[in-house]
């Protein structure tokens, strides 16, 4: 564990994934310009790995028709929150139902 600057995390993640995205997928990083420096105690490689995997999964779904993936960094009180959104079709009802059944199984 080490102090990780969250803005730097997003910048490094963007540098790694942007060249690998299909040309019909846009990646947008959103944060307020006046946002204070935020650090978290974490392993930067693991955090980047999680973000890269989420972006990769979204790009797989979007690759046929294209679309947009947005990473947003927000201040939530004294904490920082990263959200990832895309304009894909979402998770199918069948997959949600299957996951719920597995979670509720004895």
């Amino acid at each position: 564990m080490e102090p990780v600057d969250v803005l730097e995390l997003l910048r490094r993640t963007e540098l790694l994934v942007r060249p690998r995205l299909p040309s019909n997928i846009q990646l947008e990083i959103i944060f307020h310009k006046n946002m204070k420096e935020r650090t978290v105690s974490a392993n930067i490689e693991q955090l980047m790995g999680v973000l890269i995997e989420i972006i990769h999964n979204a790009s797989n779904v979007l690759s046929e028709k294209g679309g947009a993936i947005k990473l947003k960094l927000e201040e939530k009180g004294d904490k920082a929150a990263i959200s990832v959104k895309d304009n894909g079709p979402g998770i199918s009802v069948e997959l949600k139902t299957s996951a719920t059944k597995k979670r509720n199984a004895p």
Side-chain angles (χ1 to χ4, degrees), residues 3-85:
V4 174
D5 180 318
V6 184
L7 285 173
E8 181 63 22
L9 166 71
L10 292 180
R11 288 184 185 112
R12 287 178 59 185
T13 301
E14 179 182 19
L15 286 174
L16 287 172
V17 298
R18 190 174 294 280
R20 297 183 179 129
L21 288 175
S23 60
N24 63 346
I25 297 177
Q26 297 176 346
L27 177 63
E28 184 178 5
I29 310 292
I30 303 165
F31 61 91
H32 294 289
K33 302 284 188 228
N34 61 350
M35 187 166 179
K36 299 176 214 159
E37 181 178 303
R38 292 289 183 177
T39 59
V40 295
S41 180
N43 179 310
I44 192 166
E45 301 303 324
Q46 287 180 345
L47 281 178
M48 283 177 56
V50 168
L51 289 173
I52 290 168
E53 185 66 24
I54 292 170
I55 294 166
H56 175 73
N57 291 345
S59 70
N60 283 341
V61 172
L62 297 172
S63 63
E64 188 176 316
K65 295 182 180 180
I69 302 169
K70 295 181 182 184
L71 275 70
K72 185 175 184 182
L73 176 60
E74 297 179 275
E75 288 184 330
K76 302 267 183 166
D78 63 345
K79 305 207 182 324
I82 299 173
S83 62
V84 182
K85 294 184 181 184

